[in-house]
Amino acid sequence: MQSLSPSPNATYRGVGEALYRMVTQEGLLRPCRGMCAVVSGAGPAHALYFSTYEYLKEFFTTRMSLHAQLAYGLSGCVSTLLHDAIMNPAEVVKQRLQMYGSPYKSCIECATRIYQKEGMKAFYRSYTTQLTMNVPFQSVHFMTYEFMQGLTNESRTYSPLAHVSSGAVAGATAAALTTPLDVCKTLLNTQEERALTTAQQDRVTGLMQAARTVYRLGGIRGYFQGLKARVIYQVPSTAICWTTYEFFKYSLSKRKFGHHEDQSLPPNPSMQAVSSSGSRWETEKSPDRQSIEQQPGRSSSSSIVSGGVSSGGSGPGGLYGALAFNSVGEGKVALMEAPMSHR
């Protein structure tokens, strides 16, 4: 549907008509073309994507004390740089296979012929455009998701319904706002022959040239071709993605921390001396102190000042540093170690 100069046999008025004619004229599995390219790239790309996002989100919010929404946006931007470096070649192969009348029969054949005819740069011709699109896409995506989580899941616990709804709204919003860039990216990836012939161009090589070509061939409406299909695709896609991710995150964390809760924490060698001295101070009271405590009208109290120090931001390995000051007698200090509950 994003084709700027489609074949007469591939001119569609809507998503339903496009899907119906695609299946009836080209076969039941035609809508699945390019799946092999997506699957091969999505695994490593998303692993790097989410791990980077989680690390940077924690880093920006706890160590750099940035505003939450700004931290989410920056984390999404950096994650996208790494994600697209892996997914861009897969995207090129996928879109070449999905074009109407595509001459390629498999992902391997498509990738081989592209490399032989156009070289390695063909796989990254749209990389800057992909980033130009995906950086705002993922920034809007993550900020909207976290915003929706604040509305539907304030406790930030595992909630499938909240993850599904938040992911769906985030995907729809980001997809709609970045459709013009996606149209330009499609033109760069496919180098559509009919469009190039109509525009009297040999090749489209950059975002600005792609944007001008889209405007020449389709006007303002050309930038929004396939908008409905893109939104319909992103709603379940991001909902499934976030729900699956949150499920595995919850399951793995539950197993990890459940294991730690069943076992006592191992002693910390660096704290043993201080801890032991603290315990002796608590248990071995001097005669003078005991007599003072027993005097009427006198009370013994301790003021505790706690400062949370976490290892990686959360987890049972975190420590509370506690300063215990005895207000009666000489005033002794003990550093006590205690596990911090998982947030």
Side-chain angles (χ1 to χ4, degrees), residues 19 22-23 26-39 94 97-98 107:
L19 181 61
M22 193 184 301
V23 171
E26 303 176 64
L28 183 62
L29 298 179
R30 183 63 176 88
C32 297
R33 288 206 74 181
M35 184 184 293
C36 57
V38 176
V39 171
K94 182 201 76 171
L97 286 166
Q98 288 180 343
C107 289

Side-chain angles (χ1 to χ4, degrees), residues 53 68-78 135 138-140 142-143:
Y53 174 74
Q69 293 300 324
L70 178 59
Y72 302 148
L74 289 175
S75 301
C77 290
V78 178
V135 166
Q138 298 300 352
S139 297
V140 173
F142 279 116
M143 288 189 290

Side-chain angles (χ1 to χ4, degrees), residues 267-283 319-324 332-338:
N268 188 336
S270 63
M271 301 292 291
Q272 286 179 348
V274 180
S275 298
S276 60
S277 64
S279 62
R280 285 198 302 272
W281 170 54
E282 292 293 337
T283 57
L319 300 176
Y320 276 131
L323 176 65
K332 301 182 180 180
V333 178
L335 184 64
M336 297 177 291
E337 179 180 1

Side-chain angles (χ1 to χ4, degrees), residues 60-98:
F60 287 138
T61 53
T62 59
R63 298 188 186 182
M64 297 189 67
S65 301
L66 294 181
H67 187 274
Q69 293 300 324
L70 178 59
Y72 302 148
L74 289 175
S75 301
C77 290
V78 178
S79 302
T80 301
L81 292 173
L82 302 176
H83 170 273
D84 286 358
I86 297 175
M87 279 303 296
N88 208 82
E91 187 76 8
V92 172
V93 174
K94 182 201 76 171
Q95 292 195 315
R96 295 285 181 104
L97 286 166
Q98 288 180 343

Side-chain angles (χ1 to χ4, degrees), residues 1 238 326-327:
M1 293 185 71
T238 50
N326 181 22
S327 62

Side-chain angles (χ1 to χ4, degrees), residues 107-335:
C107 289
I108 296 177
E109 179 195 351
C110 181
T112 302
R113 289 176 59 180
I114 292 174
Y115 178 75
Q116 292 174 346
K117 185 178 179 180
E118 304 175 53
M120 190 66 188
K121 64 181 180 181
F123 294 105
Y124 287 94
R125 185 179 290 128
S126 65
Y127 183 56
T128 54
T129 304
Q130 183 98 335
L131 290 177
T132 304
M133 178 188 72
N134 278 347
V135 166
F137 176 91
Q138 298 300 352
S139 297
V140 173
H141 175 197
F142 279 116
M143 288 189 290
T144 305
Y145 180 80
E146 297 289 354
F147 173 76
M148 289 298 298
Q149 281 289 283
L151 297 178
T152 62
N153 187 19
E154 292 184 5
S155 61
R156 298 303 174 101
T157 56
Y158 174 64
S159 174
L161 182 59
H163 300 320
V164 167
S165 58
S166 299
V169 173
T173 304
L177 292 176
T178 57
T179 296
L181 291 168
D182 191 55
V183 174
C184 295
K185 182 205 71 175
T186 298
L187 178 61
L188 284 165
N189 279 345
T190 59
Q191 298 292 310
E192 190 183 347
E193 292 184 8
R194 291 176 62 91
L196 295 178
T197 301
T198 304
Q200 298 180 344
Q201 296 174 203
D202 295 329
R203 184 167 293 176
V204 180
T205 57
L207 175 59
M208 297 306 297
Q209 186 180 5
R212 288 193 297 266
T213 303
V214 171
Y215 184 76
R216 285 177 59 190
L217 297 177
I220 295 297
R221 293 185 61 183
Y223 293 112
F224 294 94
Q225 289 188 181
L227 171 64
K228 188 180 294 185
R230 180 168 160 79
V231 171
I232 292 174
Y233 149 69
Q234 285 291 347
V235 167
S237 175
T238 50
I240 292 170
C241 183
W242 275 111
T243 306
T244 306
Y245 171 71
E246 294 284 4
F247 169 75
F248 280 101
K249 179 181 175 183
Y250 167 76
S251 299
L252 294 173
S253 299
K254 182 179 179 182
R255 184 173 65 177
K256 175 182 177 182
F257 295 117
H259 174 73
H260 282 294
E261 288 173 359
D262 292 340
Q263 300 180 2
S264 59
L265 288 174
N268 188 336
S270 63
M271 301 292 291
Q272 286 179 348
V274 180
S275 298
S276 60
S277 64
S279 62
R280 285 198 302 272
W281 170 54
E282 292 293 337
T283 57
E284 299 175 6
K285 299 178 181 178
S286 65
D288 293 339
R289 180 178 176 182
Q290 291 178 351
S291 62
I292 291 174
E293 290 179 349
Q294 293 170 358
Q295 291 180 12
R298 297 293 299 273
S299 63
S300 174
S301 62
S302 297
S303 59
I304 306 274
V305 182
S306 298
V309 182
S310 65
S311 174
S314 63
L319 300 176
Y320 276 131
L323 176 65
F325 180 76
N326 181 22
S327 62
V328 179
E330 299 177 355
K332 301 182 180 180
V333 178
L335 184 64

